Amino acid sequence: MSPALTADRAEARDIFRELIEINTTDTPKGSVTAGTVAMQKRFLNAGFPPEDVHLLGPDPNKQNLVVRMRAAAPTTKKPVLFLCHMDVVEALPSDWHTNPFEFVEKDGFFYGRGTQDMKESDAAMVATFLRLHREGYKPKRDLILALTADEESGKFNGAQWLVKEHRDLVDAAYVINLDAGGIELDNGRTVVADVEATEKVYADYQVTATNPGGHSSRPRSDNAIYELTTALNKLAAYSFPFELNEVTRTYFRNLVGQETGQTAQDINAILANPPDMAAAARLSAEPSFNSNFRTTCVATRLIAGHANNALAQTAQANVNCRIFPGHSPEEIRGELISVFGDSKLSVKYVSDAGGVFDVAPERKAIVPPAPLKEVFDPLTRITQQIWPGVPVTPVMENGASDSIYFAQAGIPCYGYSAIALERDDDRAHGQDERLPVDSYWKSLDFFYSFTKALGGE
Ligand SMILES: [Zn+2]
């Protein structure tokens, strides 16, 4: 350890080390509870009142920790919740050059499973709460930190469970989810700071064609494989309707200054009222734009037939959809059925846990309002103090995080880690996961100031 570390940084480093060295994978060796109990101990030792430090969850191995820093005086202002997941993806030591469950500092990086996703942020928030408490900081509204289980995998998703079973503990004006967003670097140059302000909904569908089958020497006019592939080809040719919401509109407005030529013209044209559909079609050729414009559905797996010399009795595909906010999985199931246009096909919903259902959930992600000024003003100001000149923009994530459970409960979520990473050094879930040491210190600086700004100074 560098002798020059301040006491605050030394503590933050030690918390990070402790968390990396606790295996919180969803495996027999892993325990989220070991991690949350270690953090609970730190809060209690620091003098947080036990009634504000809650360890709870539906499974003994998947306990969540919810810590509340109380407002100095009673207030009608709702709390701010900081959301962090404690679980990590499994790491095979044989794939790594260091032990993934040992915290190693080497060549300006911290190595270990979870250094990017997301023990760096768990540690930064724990360190921030402890530091503010030590300094006698009293917020003007309650600040809550939730360290949760099963974001990556497992049946006991902590964010979902807390919203459903203990809404009182996690109810907030809005959520800052540190599991998303951040600063993109290109060879050390800061390119952009992304803040996730809404996200698509993930849904899988099982599409099945069935047939009595028979001997392949006597083909019939009806055939399960042809029926399924005909339907999938219709899907391949189909585009869901073009849409913008307040978040993607702001994103494209911010992007237009960085683009040139036809792309810049086309972006301006889709922002016009009404949007120019020819421009939207041209931009949609770029997959990242396309997925920002609409719900997307794509076949990802196929199984069919049972013998080389038999007519298939079953042909089945998985269709994976990323649903634009404002639409429900059931609405998209209906749309798939009409795109396929074949009443003999069955289209069922597949849940995250793998269950297959005739009907999909009706619940839709809320259409995001314009990003809250109360969040974006300090976020932008503090980001630009630390990374001068970097543009800050709200984005719609095409992936999915635990924000969705809060968004569905009507609580706006903003995903921002304040972690600066090289664009080509994303090692989350991969081997030799690592974080630049300097990025860790900067995220600490950011969350120290940002937490105070949101809590009121
Ligand atoms: Zn994550």
Side-chain angles (χ1 to χ4, degrees):
M1 194 193 301
S2 157
L5 288 187
T6 61
D8 293 325
R9 283 191 175 184
E11 181 189 53
R13 187 189 190 281
D14 192 56
I15 297 167
F16 196 6
R17 177 201 56 76
E18 183 175 31
L19 287 177
I20 293 294
E21 296 188 349
I22 296 171
N23 181 334
T24 57
T25 57
D26 182 34
T27 66
K29 275 189 174 171
S31 166
V32 165
T33 304
T36 45
V37 164
M39 296 303 106
Q40 178 192 36
K41 218 164 132 194
R42 286 184 183 261
F43 283 109
L44 294 176
N45 288 343
F48 274 71
E51 64 271 23
D52 289 338
V53 182
H54 296 265
L55 188 75
L56 72 175
D59 182 273
N61 216 21
K62 301 290 177 69
Q63 296 288 293
N64 308 284
L65 187 70
V66 180
V67 179
R68 183 174 294 254
M69 194 189 297
R70 294 225 174 245
T75 171
T76 54
K77 267 194 151 178
K78 278 189 146 185
V80 177
L81 177 84
F82 296 89
L83 180 65
C84 300
H85 69 78
M86 279 287 270
D87 57 320
V88 292
V89 170
E90 174 64 321
L92 287 181
S94 55
D95 293 344
W96 283 55
H97 291 93
T98 60
N99 174 356
F101 299 103
E102 188 191 328
F103 187 69
V104 175
E105 182 174 347
K106 200 174 63 165
D107 310 326
F109 290 91
F110 293 126
Y111 282 84
R113 169 57 85 226
T115 48
Q116 284 191 8
D117 185 14
M118 60 172 288
K119 285 182 168 165
E120 81 291 8
S121 298
D122 301 340
M125 279 318 301
V126 170
T128 298
F129 266 48
L130 291 175
R131 179 178 171 190
L132 290 171
H133 180 80
R134 189 162 54 238
E135 291 176 352
Y137 169 71
K138 294 269 183 252
K140 296 201 166 89
R141 68 201 306 180
D142 287 7
L143 300 174
I144 307 168
L145 171 61
L147 300 169
T148 64
D150 280 7
E151 193 275 340
E152 303 286 6
S153 60
K155 291 195 295 254
F156 300 99
N157 184 288
Q160 184 177 25
W161 184 82
L162 286 166
V163 171
K164 193 160 166 262
E165 305 292 337
H166 291 274
R167 174 80 185 243
D168 54 317
L169 275 183
V170 293
D171 200 25
Y174 49 86
V175 170
I176 306 296
N177 181 357
L178 283 81
D179 194 24
I183 294 97
E184 288 181 27
L185 301 178
D186 183 13
N187 284 312
R189 185 177 62 91
T190 50
V191 182
V192 65
D194 290 331
V195 184
E196 185 196 293
T198 185
E199 64 187 34
K200 288 175 131 182
V201 174
Y202 178 107
D204 283 312
Y205 300 88
Q206 183 192 72
V207 185
T208 311
T210 50
N211 191 274
H215 203 286
S216 63
S217 63
R218 291 185 300 278
R220 315 149 44 108
S221 60
D222 55 338
N223 177 296
I225 291 176
Y226 295 158
E227 283 158 11
L228 180 68
T229 53
T230 299
L232 294 179
N233 282 323
K234 288 183 189 165
L235 178 63
Y238 179 74
S239 261
F240 283 79
F242 170 85
E243 292 181 69
L244 288 171
N245 58 37
E246 285 297 324
V247 171
T248 57
R249 196 178 282 284
T250 310
Y251 170 76
F252 283 108
R253 215 179 280 136
N254 290 345
L255 189 71
V256 77
Q258 295 173 46
E259 299 285 350
T260 51
Q262 184 74 48
T263 306
Q265 276 177 36
D266 284 345
I267 292 173
N268 278 321
I270 61 160
L271 292 171
N273 194 5
D276 178 340
M277 286 300 143
R282 274 191 299 274
L283 291 170
S284 297
E286 164 59 41
S288 66
F289 287 154
N290 184 53
S291 54
N292 254 275
F293 287 161
R294 52 176 51 88
T295 295
T296 62
C297 291
V298 62
T300 53
R301 307 183 83 166
L302 277 178
I303 326 170
H306 54 283
N308 287 351
N309 58 2
L311 298 171
Q313 290 174 350
T314 310
Q316 200 165 69
N318 185 77
V319 171
N320 178 249
C321 298
R322 305 303 174 112
I323 302 172
F324 202 88
H327 304 283
S328 71
E330 178 59 11
E331 189 184 333
I332 299 304
R333 196 180 72 87
E335 202 150 339
L336 287 173
I337 290 170
S338 75
V339 170
F340 296 148
D342 180 348
S343 58
K344 295 194 299 301
L345 291 179
S346 83
V347 181
K348 296 186 176 183
Y349 173 76
V350 184
S351 73
D352 290 352
V356 179
F357 300 91
D358 288 341
V359 174
E362 294 280 5
R363 212 145 186 220
K364 44 186 89 164
I366 52 163
V367 177
L372 275 175
K373 228 176 119 52
E374 170 186 339
V375 174
F376 267 76
D377 281 359
L379 189 153
T380 304
R381 175 174 53 79
I382 299 163
T383 295
Q384 291 180 342
Q385 276 163 11
I386 299 174
W387 295 275
V390 68
V392 177
T393 184
V395 298
M396 178 174 74
E397 268 297 320
N398 298 314
S401 76
D402 278 345
S403 289
I404 200 75
Y405 303 112
F406 287 90
Q408 284 172 339
I411 303 175
C413 297
Y414 300 99
Y416 193 57
S417 65
I419 289 289
L421 274 185
E422 288 289 333
R423 280 171 159 176
D424 60 2
D425 203 35
D426 182 349
R427 300 186 182 200
H429 303 192
Q431 65 183 52
D432 295 334
E433 189 176 345
R434 67 180 188 179
L435 181 76
V437 172
D438 180 60
S439 291
Y440 185 55
W441 302 143
K442 284 183 171 153
S443 79
L444 276 172
D445 293 345
F446 175 85
F447 277 102
Y448 176 73
S449 300
F450 187 55
T451 305
K452 271 177 130 174
L454 298 184
E457 297 188 58

PDB file of all heavy atoms in Angstrom, residues 85 117-118 151-152 179 429, ligand 1:
ATOM      1  N   HIS A  85     -25.355  -4.008  -5.878  1.00  0.00           N
ATOM      2  CA  HIS A  85     -25.471  -5.456  -5.629  1.00  0.00           C
ATOM      3  C   HIS A  85     -24.132  -6.010  -5.132  1.00  0.00           C
ATOM      4  O   HIS A  85     -23.069  -5.550  -5.528  1.00  0.00           O
ATOM      5  CB  HIS A  85     -26.008  -6.207  -6.843  1.00  0.00           C
ATOM      6  CG  HIS A  85     -25.092  -6.280  -8.034  1.00  0.00           C
ATOM      7  ND1 HIS A  85     -24.032  -7.153  -8.107  1.00  0.00           N
ATOM      8  CD2 HIS A  85     -25.092  -5.602  -9.214  1.00  0.00           C
ATOM      9  CE1 HIS A  85     -23.427  -7.020  -9.270  1.00  0.00           C
ATOM     10  NE2 HIS A  85     -24.034  -6.074  -9.962  1.00  0.00           N
ATOM     11  N   ASP A 117     -17.412  -4.989 -11.384  1.00  0.00           N
ATOM     12  CA  ASP A 117     -18.858  -5.280 -11.280  1.00  0.00           C
ATOM     13  C   ASP A 117     -19.133  -6.066 -10.013  1.00  0.00           C
ATOM     14  O   ASP A 117     -19.156  -7.274 -10.045  1.00  0.00           O
ATOM     15  CB  ASP A 117     -19.298  -6.051 -12.521  1.00  0.00           C
ATOM     16  CG  ASP A 117     -20.809  -6.282 -12.561  1.00  0.00           C
ATOM     17  OD1 ASP A 117     -21.534  -5.623 -11.788  1.00  0.00           O
ATOM     18  OD2 ASP A 117     -21.258  -7.115 -13.352  1.00  0.00           O
ATOM     19  N   MET A 118     -19.441  -5.391  -8.928  1.00  0.00           N
ATOM     20  CA  MET A 118     -19.370  -3.973  -8.681  1.00  0.00           C
ATOM     21  C   MET A 118     -18.912  -3.691  -7.259  1.00  0.00           C
ATOM     22  O   MET A 118     -19.413  -2.828  -6.594  1.00  0.00           O
ATOM     23  CB  MET A 118     -20.722  -3.292  -8.990  1.00  0.00           C
ATOM     24  CG  MET A 118     -21.866  -3.844  -8.131  1.00  0.00           C
ATOM     25  SD  MET A 118     -23.393  -2.869  -8.329  1.00  0.00           S
ATOM     26  CE  MET A 118     -22.978  -1.352  -7.469  1.00  0.00           C
ATOM     27  N   GLU A 151     -28.259 -10.141  -8.156  1.00  0.00           N
ATOM     28  CA  GLU A 151     -28.484  -9.357  -9.370  1.00  0.00           C
ATOM     29  C   GLU A 151     -28.019 -10.157 -10.583  1.00  0.00           C
ATOM     30  O   GLU A 151     -28.645 -10.163 -11.632  1.00  0.00           O
ATOM     31  CB  GLU A 151     -27.722  -8.024  -9.299  1.00  0.00           C
ATOM     32  CG  GLU A 151     -28.129  -7.005 -10.364  1.00  0.00           C
ATOM     33  CD  GLU A 151     -27.418  -7.172 -11.702  1.00  0.00           C
ATOM     34  OE1 GLU A 151     -26.336  -7.812 -11.732  1.00  0.00           O
ATOM     35  OE2 GLU A 151     -27.932  -6.694 -12.719  1.00  0.00           O
ATOM     36  N   GLU A 152     -26.907 -10.852 -10.410  1.00  0.00           N
ATOM     37  CA  GLU A 152     -26.294 -11.556 -11.546  1.00  0.00           C
ATOM     38  C   GLU A 152     -27.043 -12.857 -11.863  1.00  0.00           C
ATOM     39  O   GLU A 152     -27.242 -13.196 -13.023  1.00  0.00           O
ATOM     40  CB  GLU A 152     -24.827 -11.876 -11.239  1.00  0.00           C
ATOM     41  CG  GLU A 152     -23.976 -10.654 -10.884  1.00  0.00           C
ATOM     42  CD  GLU A 152     -23.652  -9.799 -12.092  1.00  0.00           C
ATOM     43  OE1 GLU A 152     -24.167 -10.076 -13.188  1.00  0.00           O
ATOM     44  OE2 GLU A 152     -22.884  -8.835 -11.927  1.00  0.00           O
ATOM     45  N   ASP A 179     -24.708   0.423 -10.436  1.00  0.00           N
ATOM     46  CA  ASP A 179     -24.402  -0.713 -11.309  1.00  0.00           C
ATOM     47  C   ASP A 179     -24.519  -0.358 -12.788  1.00  0.00           C
ATOM     48  O   ASP A 179     -24.720  -1.235 -13.625  1.00  0.00           O
ATOM     49  CB  ASP A 179     -25.365  -1.871 -10.978  1.00  0.00           C
ATOM     50  CG  ASP A 179     -24.912  -3.186 -11.588  1.00  0.00           C
ATOM     51  OD1 ASP A 179     -23.709  -3.330 -11.854  1.00  0.00           O
ATOM     52  OD2 ASP A 179     -25.769  -4.073 -11.772  1.00  0.00           O
ATOM     53  N   HIS A 429     -17.480  -9.685 -15.571  1.00  0.00           N
ATOM     54  CA  HIS A 429     -17.834 -11.098 -15.815  1.00  0.00           C
ATOM     55  C   HIS A 429     -16.694 -11.864 -16.489  1.00  0.00           C
ATOM     56  O   HIS A 429     -16.830 -13.057 -16.730  1.00  0.00           O
ATOM     57  CB  HIS A 429     -19.111 -11.269 -16.673  1.00  0.00           C
ATOM     58  CG  HIS A 429     -20.321 -10.608 -16.090  1.00  0.00           C
ATOM     59  ND1 HIS A 429     -21.588 -10.830 -16.565  1.00  0.00           N
ATOM     60  CD2 HIS A 429     -20.466  -9.737 -15.067  1.00  0.00           C
ATOM     61  CE1 HIS A 429     -22.455 -10.114 -15.870  1.00  0.00           C
ATOM     62  NE2 HIS A 429     -21.794  -9.437 -14.952  1.00  0.00           N
TER      63      HIS A 429
HETATM   64 ZN    ZN B   1     -23.468  -5.536 -11.985  1.00  0.00          ZN
END
